Amino acid sequence: KNEVEQSPQNLTAQEGEFITINCSYSVGISALHWLQQHPGGGIVSLFMLSSGKKKHGRLIATINIQEKHSSLHITASHPRDSAVYICAVLLDSNYQLIWGAGTKLIIKP
Amino acid sequence: DAGVIQSPRHEVTEMGQEVTLRCKPISGHDYLFWYRQTMMRGLELLIYFNNNVPIDDSGMPEDRFSAKMPNASFSTLKIQPSEPRDSAVYFCASSGTGQANYGYTFGSGTRLTVV
């Protein structure tokens, strides 16, 4: 079993839809990252969470430490949101990241 | 701050040649990480440094790979000799002590093609 599991692996939606990507982990962490990678592009850090909820524009990230679960939401999705979204947890034992497999999101106009 | 700076952005080289990838971390960050991304394996941690000292290089695939961090503002990842299977995107990232506050910042990556 992977230490970080994301779902779904692939998601296709229409422009304007509300998007949710989930991340579950089984290790002790000090923080969780949500990252975005466009095709052929670099990796952009969207959020780093250690508790609660963060919001940036149309993006919202939540984390439940007790349940070891985090969600990334996109409101009013747009084709430019099409990318791979990666959940990564920062181990509390060292400073290494463990990565989820990523969720490939396609937003159709 | 300009963020984590990697160079070159793209590198095409012939098999057997030496390749050197460069990274300048964010000033004040004391951790530096080298990652490799391929379609087959996704993102892999190759090595990371703390205060310029290599801490864990267990992800370095072979002796052909070596990494150095001579000072707090510069690191290199060298492949000698390069092979076609080394073709990948190599990312450098840096972070500061007190991860809950600092977080990771990634460079734009170096796309390496070995022909």
Side-chain angles (χ1 to χ4, degrees), chain A residues 37 48 90 95-97 99, chain B residues 31 37 45 56 99-100 104:
Chain A
Q37 185 174 32
M48 186 177 68
L90 187 67
Y95 289 108
Q96 292 194 45
L97 283 178
W99 305 82
Chain B
Y31 281 83
Q37 186 177 39
L45 175 65
D56 185 349
Q99 282 300 293
Y104 273 60

Side-chain angles (χ1 to χ4, degrees), chain B residues 5-50:
Chain B
I5 300 173
Q6 287 188 248
S7 64
R9 288 295 304 272
H10 302 274
E11 177 81 32
V12 180
T13 190
E14 290 186 347
M15 183 173 65
Q17 296 297 306
E18 178 180 294
V19 175
T20 300
L21 311 180
R22 297 174 177 80
C23 175
K24 182 180 188 303
I26 288 179
S27 178
H29 279 185
D30 54 354
Y31 281 83
L32 184 140
F33 303 81
W34 282 101
Y35 288 90
R36 176 172 70 174
Q37 186 177 39
T38 62
M39 290 292 290
M40 292 288 290
R41 295 173 176 262
L43 271 161
E44 303 172 275
L45 175 65
L46 300 177
I47 185 172
Y48 77 96
F49 297 83
N50 178 220

Side-chain angles (χ1 to χ4, degrees), chain B:
Chain B
D1 199 315
V4 176
I5 300 173
Q6 287 188 248
S7 64
R9 288 295 304 272
H10 302 274
E11 177 81 32
V12 180
T13 190
E14 290 186 347
M15 183 173 65
Q17 296 297 306
E18 178 180 294
V19 175
T20 300
L21 311 180
R22 297 174 177 80
C23 175
K24 182 180 188 303
I26 288 179
S27 178
H29 279 185
D30 54 354
Y31 281 83
L32 184 140
F33 303 81
W34 282 101
Y35 288 90
R36 176 172 70 174
Q37 186 177 39
T38 62
M39 290 292 290
M40 292 288 290
R41 295 173 176 262
L43 271 161
E44 303 172 275
L45 175 65
L46 300 177
I47 185 172
Y48 77 96
F49 297 83
N50 178 220
N51 292 321
N52 315 336
V53 176
I55 303 300
D56 185 349
D57 66 353
S58 58
M60 296 284 264
E62 299 171 31
D63 291 344
R64 298 183 296 106
F65 285 68
S66 62
K68 293 183 180 179
M69 192 165 185
N71 56 61
S73 59
F74 184 66
S75 177
T76 59
L77 178 67
K78 188 175 291 187
I79 308 172
Q80 166 62 23
S82 57
E83 296 183 4
R85 61 193 165 123
D86 301 330
S87 298
V89 180
Y90 291 81
F91 288 100
C92 175
S94 71
S95 65
T97 302
Q99 282 300 293
N101 296 320
Y102 281 69
Y104 273 60
T105 302
F106 283 83
S108 299
T110 294
R111 184 175 294 276
L112 173 66
T113 303
V114 183
V115 297

Side-chain angles (χ1 to χ4, degrees), chain A residues 41-90:
Chain A
I43 300 171
V44 176
S45 179
L46 298 175
F47 295 103
M48 186 177 68
L49 296 161
S50 52
S51 65
K53 176 180 175 179
K54 286 189 176 180
K55 185 176 189 292
H56 186 259
R58 295 180 293 105
L59 301 176
I60 303 166
T62 63
I63 188 168
N64 185 317
I65 297 294
Q66 286 73 33
E67 294 185 3
K68 297 192 172 183
H69 181 268
S70 175
S71 293
L72 176 68
H73 305 285
I74 305 174
T75 61
S77 59
H78 190 275
R80 65 174 175 266
D81 297 327
S82 299
V84 174
Y85 292 84
I86 306 168
C87 168
V89 299
L90 187 67

